Amino acid sequence: MNVDTDSVIATKGVTVSFGDFQALKGIDVDIKQGEIIVVLGPSGSGKSTFIRTLNRLQPHDGGQVVVDGVELDEDTTVADLKRIRSEIGFVFQQFELFPHLTVLENVALAPQKVKGMKKTEAEELAEGLLEKVGIPEQKNKYASALSGGQQQRVAIARALAMDPKIMLFDEPTSALDPEMIKEVLDVMIALAKEDVTMIVVTHEMGFAKEVGDRIMFFDEGHLVEESTPDVFFDNPKEERSKLFLEQIL
């Protein structure tokens, strides 16, 4: 079973089961450096399970997952897994910030702990990233004092602090009030213009149309359809895709 090792991410026949329930049913993808992939589908379709296999937060039980030339499975060395995870930024639905640390400390922590960066250097990096996501004035506050949209922007800055090759977003706006969604999407749109590979699980169709290089549509554990945004939204090939779009647009 071979995958394209020229890709930054490649999977072949990936399956994931939870007891008798098969969450993923043979997923094949091939993602190049710098691509923006938007993953769509109804709840329970396997979207989040899929992106969690890409840094082995969710082990797969069949097929292959290769990230930056390293196959991720039960035989992957601790060193290889640590390296791959250091190259992947992951932004979750919930913000997962440390409540006992300030915003600046949240962003500066990983570069110090994982990369051995000096505190002053890490804090300088963190200040630049908070500027990048539009909230430099919040650096000395604790997460509880921030709005949901601000907390998610801190989470994005924290992920960027490791200078990742790949950014994974698992429904990053779904826990936000509607008026906060745009501020997070604007940060992601700006990020998409840089040479970072992004895989975004989302229900935000405007973002998918504007930013995505490719749409991957999941349903019931299958990758049902894969195409450019213009084809997917204007002329989807599969009946299941058409039904999905009729229900949400």
Side-chain angles (χ1 to χ4, degrees):
M1 186 185 295
N2 295 314
V3 296
D4 184 353
T5 53
D6 291 334
S7 303
V8 68
I9 295 170
T11 74
K12 184 73 174 176
V14 168
T15 60
V16 171
S17 297
F18 301 105
D20 293 335
F21 175 70
Q22 195 168 24
L24 294 179
K25 303 171 182 175
I27 305 301
D28 299 344
V29 303
D30 178 11
I31 299 170
K32 304 298 185 187
Q33 178 65 36
E35 274 198 290
I36 312 299
I37 306 297
V38 180
V39 183
L40 303 178
S43 297
S45 59
K47 310 181 300 293
S48 293
T49 300
F50 168 66
I51 68 164
R52 285 169 175 265
T53 67
L54 302 180
N55 69 350
R56 208 159 166 76
L57 274 179
Q58 173 57 57
H60 55 288
D61 47 44
Q64 281 185 305
V65 176
V66 177
V67 179
D68 200 21
V70 174
E71 182 170 356
L72 302 183
D73 58 23
E74 64 274 7
D75 297 321
T76 306
T77 66
V78 171
D80 276 345
L81 187 58
K82 185 177 179 181
R83 178 177 74 79
I84 292 300
R85 284 179 171 167
S86 75
E87 295 178 356
I88 298 175
F90 205 129
V91 178
F92 299 89
Q93 182 175 339
Q94 303 298 332
F95 319 123
E96 309 287 351
L97 300 176
F98 293 112
H100 64 291
L101 300 179
T102 65
V103 164
L104 187 71
E105 289 167 340
N106 263 283
V107 178
L109 182 64
Q112 294 176 78
K113 296 291 187 183
V114 180
K115 292 193 169 183
M117 196 177 285
K118 291 179 181 177
K119 182 180 179 183
T120 53
E121 189 182 353
E123 289 184 345
E124 186 178 333
L125 171 67
E127 286 186 353
L129 290 169
L130 291 171
E131 184 83 46
K132 185 173 188 172
V133 300
I135 48 171
E137 73 287 352
Q138 307 294 340
K139 69 179 184 179
N140 294 319
K141 293 183 179 178
Y142 290 92
S144 59
L146 272 56
S147 70
Q150 290 171 330
Q151 289 186 60
Q152 193 60 292
R153 284 190 277 169
V154 175
I156 293 171
R158 181 182 59 183
L160 291 174
M162 292 298 290
D163 192 23
K165 288 185 179 180
I166 300 162
M167 285 287 288
L168 306 178
F169 295 87
D170 188 7
E171 300 195 25
T173 60
S174 63
L176 301 178
D177 292 333
E179 65 269 20
M180 297 177 185
I181 290 173
K182 184 179 184 299
E183 65 187 59
V184 173
L185 291 179
D186 284 347
V187 170
M188 293 170 64
I189 288 166
L191 182 60
K193 295 173 183 175
E194 303 178 15
D195 187 35
V196 60
T197 307
M198 290 172 59
I199 304 170
V200 184
V201 174
T202 186
H203 295 290
E204 299 297 331
M205 298 302 137
F207 174 86
K209 290 178 183 179
E210 179 177 351
V211 175
D213 294 316
R214 275 191 288 159
I215 306 294
M216 293 182 180
F217 174 66
F218 278 64
D219 187 49
E220 296 185 347
H222 294 283
L223 176 52
V224 174
E225 183 161 348
E226 185 178 355
S227 60
T228 59
D230 54 340
V231 171
F232 182 79
F233 286 104
D234 297 336
N235 190 27
K237 300 178 182 68
E238 302 296 330
E239 287 302 318
R240 182 63 188 91
S241 306
K242 293 175 185 176
L243 178 61
F244 174 76
L245 291 170
E246 286 171 6
Q247 290 174 333
I248 62 164
L249 296 179

